[in-house]
Amino acid sequence: ILTIPVWVTLCVALAMGIGLAAAAIMVRYRDIAYVLPWAVQTLLYASPVAYSLEAVPDAVRPYLLANPLTWVLEGMRWAMLGSAAPPVWQIVGAVVVSGLVLFAGLLVFQRYEREMLAWMRSSKGGILDAIRLDIEGDGAAPEVQEKSQASSS
């Protein structure tokens, strides 16, 4: 039970790395928005979320063991349900892969960050300009500021 926060942290790191990379790439390639739900659903069925790894036939088990999310989920199952402890290589692999995926997601996000800012400046009258006006003003939307200035003069 004491290791539950560790497994949750590893799961969050894995998800955050994938999410950061997908969000950054989605700005440039809009088709990612259509592929991502399919990939998440495939990952759901390729990971032992609703079933135990012992319930899987031996012929399919090596494919599931190649999935790093399986390692994290088996660790959670061990911590919460008291099932058999995962092998040491799975624990070490879960830590290493989660850290690497998070780091790679941060790198991809950082690489596309300037491109995202340029897109935000150029799209529909400049999203960043509207935000800047809102921040520099009294907190009201730019349209409200214009109306209040017109009524006060």
Side-chain angles (χ1 to χ4, degrees), residues 58-122:
D58 290 337
V60 181
R61 196 170 295 159
Y63 298 111
L64 289 177
L65 286 174
N67 180 0
L69 190 56
T70 299
W71 309 338
V72 175
L73 292 172
E74 285 299 308
M76 284 182 163
R77 190 171 280 118
W78 166 60
M80 288 192 283
L81 302 177
S83 64
V88 175
W89 69 267
Q90 281 185 359
I91 296 170
V92 172
V95 171
V96 170
V97 169
S98 294
L100 287 176
V101 168
L102 178 61
F103 184 70
L106 286 169
L107 287 179
V108 169
F109 189 85
Q110 187 178 22
R111 179 173 177 246
Y112 283 100
E113 186 176 20
R114 290 180 192 252
E115 191 173 316
M116 286 187 285
L117 286 173
W119 175 83
M120 289 175 74
R121 284 191 181 110
S122 67

Side-chain angles (χ1 to χ4, degrees), residues 22 26 29-38:
M26 198 178 306
Y29 304 106
R30 305 268 175 141
D31 292 339
I32 297 293
Y34 301 110
V35 175
L36 199 59
W38 175 83

